[in-house]
Amino acid sequence: MLSDSATSSVTSLEHLDMKPVIVVHGGAGNISDKRVPGCRAGVKRAALKGYDILKGGGSALDAVEEAVVVMEDDPHFNAGCGSVLNEKGEIEMDAIIMDGKDLGSGAVSAVRCIANPIKLARLVMEKTDHVCLTDRGASLFAKAQGVEEVPEESLVSEMARERWEKNLKPGSDPVASQIQDRGTVGAVAIDNSGNVACATSTGGMTNKMVGRVGDTPCIGSGGYADNFVGACSTTGHGEKIMTVTLARIILYHMEQGMSPEEASDTALTYMKTRVRGLGGVIVVNNSGEWTATFSTNQMSWAAVKDDVLEFGVFRGENETVNIDHPLASQ
Ligand code: ASP
C-alpha cells in the first residue's frame, strides 16, 4: 500500500503542458496486398480519433480505448468484428487496458459475442476488484453491466472464415498462416497531464485451440503502462511474447535509460534470438517520444503528435501529413 507521501509523488508527476501523443498499431506480420489499403486507412482513422480526444483535454485512457474501438469495429483487423476463428469456428477474444497513473488494469480473455472487448476490459478495471475475467465469467459480468450481446455471425468476416476453412485442410500450418496475415490492434498515448495508457485487443491466433489465451490480456505481455516510464502495446506470436513479457521488458530497458526505439529494438531482437519469436510494438515514453517498431515484414501503424500524422505499413515506410490535410482522413 502506498503511503500518502508516495501517493502525492505519483500525482506530482503530472505536468499540465505535456504535448499529447497517440500511437496505434493494426497488427504485425505479412499483411496481404488485399488488406493493405484498409489497414492503412483504419490505423489513420483510429489515431485521429484518439488524438481528437487528447486535443480536447481528454485522458490518455479514453484516447486509447476509443482508438481501439475504431479498429475493433473495422473488419480489416483481427479484433472485435473481423476476429479470427478458433478450431471450432468460434470467436474468442482477448483485451487489456492499463492506466499509467495508478497501474490500474483490466483484461478479458476468451470472451464471446460482444462487439468491443476493450470496453469490457475497462469495466473490469473500474467495476471489479480483479484484473482479468475469462470466458463464462467475463460474459456474465458483461451481461450484469448491460453490455449488449451480439450474434457471433455479426463478428465473423468473410476473410476470417476463408482462412479458417483453409487451415482445416490436412497439412496446413495455422501458425504460419497467422504470421502471413495478422491484425491485432493496440494504442498507447500520453495526455496533456502527462498520464500514459495502453490498450490492446485481439481475436488471437487463427484456428487456435478452444480456450487458448494469448499474450494480449496478460499484463506485461500484451501491454503495460506506467507514468514513471511510458506505455507499450504489443502484437505478434502470443506464446513467444508471453515467455519474454515483451511489454514489461521494453519498459525495463527505458527505465535503464534507453529511448523507446532502442528499448523496442533490443527487446524484439531478444525475442527473436531467445525464442525465435517475431512481433511488433508501439511505445511512448513519459516525455512524449514514441516509436512503432517491428521484426516482422510489416505492421500497420499510425501516430499523431504536434498535429502531424505519421503512418506506415512496410519496413521503412513513414508518410507524414498534417492532420488538416485531406490525405490524413483517406
Ligand atoms: N498476439 C496475438 C495473440 O497471440 C496475435 C497477434 O498479435 O497477431 O493472441
Side-chain angles (χ1 to χ4, degrees), residues 52-306:
D52 203 41
I53 292 168
L54 296 169
K55 278 285 270 193
S59 68
L61 199 63
D62 287 344
V64 293
E65 179 183 355
E66 288 305 321
V68 163
V69 165
V70 168
M71 294 183 283
E72 284 179 336
D73 291 344
D74 183 336
H76 288 99
F77 300 106
N78 169 20
C81 173
S83 287
V84 297
L85 309 185
N86 68 15
E87 60 183 355
K88 297 263 185 261
E90 303 154 342
I91 288 183
E92 292 181 309
M93 299 167 288
D94 300 337
I96 190 168
I97 191 160
M98 186 161 182
D99 185 353
K101 197 174 188 175
D102 57 3
L103 306 191
S105 47
V108 289
S109 67
V111 67
R112 299 186 59 190
C113 300
I114 59 165
N116 298 113
I118 201 66
K119 289 191 179 177
L120 189 59
R122 182 152 179 189
L123 287 170
V124 171
M125 176 174 100
E126 290 178 345
K127 308 274 188 206
T128 78
D129 293 331
H130 306 303
V131 167
C132 184
L133 289 179
T134 192
D135 193 10
R136 181 175 148 263
S139 298
L140 289 173
F141 173 66
K143 221 171 262 167
Q145 289 296 316
V147 175
E148 191 196 347
E149 200 174 308
V150 298
E152 187 156 73
E153 274 313 302
S154 69
L155 302 176
V156 179
S157 68
E158 203 181 309
M159 194 180 112
R161 187 168 296 285
E162 272 170 21
R163 282 177 73 192
W164 173 72
E165 278 166 3
K166 203 165 143 205
N167 285 323
L168 288 177
K169 295 196 176 127
S172 71
D173 179 350
V175 171
S177 149
Q178 177 95 357
I179 291 164
Q180 287 293 320
D181 217 346
R182 286 199 176 117
T184 290
V185 305
V188 295
I190 184 163
D191 60 33
N192 61 17
S193 299
N195 295 310
V196 299
C198 71
T200 313
S201 181
T202 188
M205 301 284 282
T206 192
N207 298 65
K208 64 189 178 183
M209 287 176 72
V210 173
R212 178 264 188 187
V213 174
D215 59 304
T216 299
C218 297
I219 191 165
S221 293
Y224 203 81
D226 181 352
N227 277 9
F228 284 116
V229 194
C232 173
S233 166
T234 69
T235 167
H237 190 171
E239 281 69 13
K240 309 288 181 181
I241 292 174
M242 286 156 102
T243 54
V244 301
T245 60
L246 186 61
R248 191 64 192 86
I249 53 168
I250 288 176
L251 263 71
Y252 168 77
H253 288 312
M254 282 156 54
E255 281 165 336
Q256 304 304 307
M258 285 190 191
S259 67
E261 194 177 345
E262 286 165 340
S264 302
D265 278 340
T266 305
L268 285 169
T269 302
Y270 175 69
M271 186 166 88
K272 191 170 173 181
T273 51
R274 188 73 178 88
V275 295
R276 301 187 353 154
L278 299 178
V281 298
I282 48 171
V283 182
V284 66
N285 71 10
N286 64 358
S287 314
E289 290 175 301
W290 63 272
T291 189
T293 303
F294 45 102
S295 54
T296 49
N297 287 336
Q298 289 146 24
M299 178 176 84
S300 56
W301 63 272
V304 193
K305 181 178 183 177
D306 286 326

